[in-house]
């Protein structure tokens, strides 16, 4: 067996051993009673990572499959790899590990999740430095998107802004909101300009969205600030929020974004009644 074939085999074997260590409950799946082997099934890893089962099966079988840096990051998240395991994953795939990549151990600190959950009537998210959504509260799921139904590979707010038609329809002025997001993302891009994951995301969005391709070429930049946001909910109608973005003190690569119902509007009352009805 030549070196390249051995590398593909090692890559596939590594993935198999890592998925065997993950309990279904750790990724929000039921344990079930008909599992013949411990850990996740291939189809579960493929689904959670946003790739086809056949393709993922070929990777585990050691076939000469070329994988992107975005897919590697998605696999690292799904399999909850630590930093050392992530470096090993990239190396086996023949890719340079990105600099300053986040730790994929579990999800956010339970205390941070508790903060999110305590904001019962304010949708709130926690994102990493690349704008990947890693935690959210129930209000965000009910009023914006159910992020648990979006694969890790696609759970990036910039990608969602330009490729998710359901999300686009919630904006009264999607064009302005999308251009503002690009301008804020430009400041992130400057910090990760050598990161192949970021470069691949940008190139993919250039291909998939003519609007992104046009506005990205303008090189507009904008810092994070307090903003006002109006969305159109399919049931509740017009909702007005103040959008505040805060760095997490213990991990400044993470940012919490909170959408607080604006005072002197009926937004909070609408949300309160809606969520309370959902609980009944």
């Amino acid at each position: 067996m030549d070196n390249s074939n051995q590398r593909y085999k090692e890559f596939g074997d590594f993935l198999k051993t890592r998925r065997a260590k993950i309990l279904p409950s750790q990724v929000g799946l039921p344990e079930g009673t008909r599992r013949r082997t411990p850990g996740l099934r291939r189809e579960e890893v493929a689904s959670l990572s946003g790739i086809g089962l056949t393709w993922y099966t070929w990777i585990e079988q050691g076939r000469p499959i070329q994988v992107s840096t975005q897919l590697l990051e998605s696999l690292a998240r799904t399999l909850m790899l630590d930093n050392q395991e992530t470096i090993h994953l990239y190396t086996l795939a023949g890719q340079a590990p990105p600099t300053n990549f986040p730790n994929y151990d579990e999800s956010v600190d339970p205390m941070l999740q508790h903060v999110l959950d305590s904001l019962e009537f304010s949708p709130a998210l926690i994102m990493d430095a690349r704008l990947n959504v890693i935690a959210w509260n129930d209000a965000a799921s009910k009023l914006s998107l159910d992020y648990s139904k979006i694969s890790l590979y696609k759970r990036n707010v910039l990608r969602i802004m330009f490729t998710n038609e359901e999300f686009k329809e919630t904006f009264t002025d999607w064009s302005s909101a999308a251009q503002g997001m690009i301008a804020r993302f430009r400041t992130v891009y400057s910090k990760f300009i050598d990161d192949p994951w970021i470069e691949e995301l940008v190139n993919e969005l250039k291909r998939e969205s003519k609007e992104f391709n046009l506005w990205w070429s303008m090189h507009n930049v904008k810092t994070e600030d307090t903003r006002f946001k109006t969305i159109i909910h399919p049931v509740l109608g017009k909702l007005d929020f103040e959008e505040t973005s805060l760095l997490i003190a213990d991990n400044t690569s993470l940012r919490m974004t909170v959408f607080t119902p604006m005072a002197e509007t009926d937004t909070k009352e609408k949300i309160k009644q809606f969520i309370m009805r959902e609980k009944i």
Side-chain angles (χ1 to χ4, degrees):
M1 181 180 295
D2 62 33
N3 289 339
S4 61
N5 288 338
Q6 181 62 31
R7 180 183 296 276
Y8 290 125
K9 182 179 183 303
E10 287 287 329
F11 183 44
D13 289 346
F14 182 65
L15 291 174
K16 282 186 283 188
T17 60
R18 296 310 96 176
R19 70 175 169 88
K21 296 174 64 175
I22 305 298
L23 296 174
S25 58
Q26 289 179 277
V27 293
L29 296 174
E31 294 288 348
T33 58
R34 302 178 64 182
R35 291 182 180 271
R36 298 179 180 178
T37 57
L40 298 178
R41 300 186 178 103
R42 282 177 176 171
E43 57 265 31
E44 291 167 339
V45 174
S47 176
L48 290 168
S49 302
I51 61 176
L53 173 58
T54 299
W55 203 52
Y56 179 75
T57 300
W58 288 348
I59 294 173
E60 278 203 0
Q61 290 174 343
R63 298 196 188 190
I65 302 294
Q66 297 298 318
V67 296
S68 68
T69 54
Q70 286 192 8
L71 178 55
L72 290 172
E73 178 148 346
S74 185
L75 287 171
R77 282 180 178 274
T78 299
L79 299 174
M80 298 181 181
L81 304 185
D82 61 27
N83 285 353
Q84 193 60 49
E85 289 172 324
T86 301
I87 291 172
H88 187 61
L89 181 76
Y90 275 74
T91 303
L92 289 175
Q95 298 275 12
T99 57
N100 300 319
F101 54 82
N103 192 319
Y104 300 105
D105 285 333
E106 304 294 341
S107 54
V108 298
D109 187 296
M111 292 180 67
L112 285 175
Q113 185 64 55
H114 181 66
V115 171
L116 293 178
D117 294 338
S118 70
L119 300 169
E120 190 172 9
F121 306 123
S122 296
L125 311 169
I126 292 179
M127 293 175 283
D128 64 18
R130 298 181 185 132
L131 305 188
N132 294 310
V133 178
I134 62 173
W136 57 92
N137 64 2
D138 188 55
S141 291
K142 285 184 167 58
L143 299 172
S144 179
L145 287 176
D146 187 349
Y147 293 95
S148 66
K149 295 181 179 179
I150 303 175
S151 70
L152 289 168
Y153 178 66
K154 296 183 178 180
R155 200 184 295 157
N156 177 280
V157 294
L158 190 67
R159 183 195 299 278
I160 290 170
M161 176 65 86
F162 284 91
T163 65
N164 189 301
E165 295 302 320
E166 176 188 353
F167 189 70
K168 287 182 181 181
E169 291 175 0
T170 65
F171 289 87
T172 55
D173 187 353
W174 174 82
S175 176
S176 294
Q179 289 183 70
M181 180 175 287
I182 284 184
R184 291 188 293 276
F185 182 71
R186 268 287 179 187
T187 62
V188 174
Y189 183 76
S190 65
K191 299 172 185 177
F192 291 91
I193 200 163
D194 295 323
D195 186 336
W197 192 95
I198 289 284
E199 191 64 28
E200 193 167 325
L201 172 64
V202 169
N203 289 334
E204 183 175 318
L205 289 176
K206 284 180 180 179
R207 294 190 298 269
E208 293 185 8
S209 169
K210 64 180 186 296
E211 294 92 348
F212 181 89
N213 193 29
L214 172 63
W215 296 331
W216 182 255
S217 67
M218 294 178 180
H219 288 262
N220 294 329
V221 293
K222 185 178 181 181
T223 58
E224 294 285 351
D225 55 9
T226 299
R227 299 179 295 279
F228 300 102
K229 179 177 181 179
T230 298
I231 68 170
I232 305 301
H233 188 270
V235 175
L236 302 179
K238 182 171 172 284
L239 300 174
D240 298 299
F241 298 96
E242 297 172 355
E243 179 182 349
T244 307
S245 191
L246 308 165
L247 289 176
I248 305 297
D250 293 339
N251 185 349
T252 55
S253 69
L254 300 181
R255 185 180 294 273
M256 179 184 295
T257 299
V258 181
F259 299 90
T260 306
M262 286 183 62
E264 301 180 1
T265 72
D266 60 355
T267 297
K268 183 175 181 179
E269 189 59 33
K270 284 182 179 178
I271 295 172
K272 183 177 180 181
Q273 292 180 7
F274 180 71
I275 289 180
M276 297 308 292
R277 286 200 305 268
E278 292 284 306
K279 290 182 176 180
I280 297 176

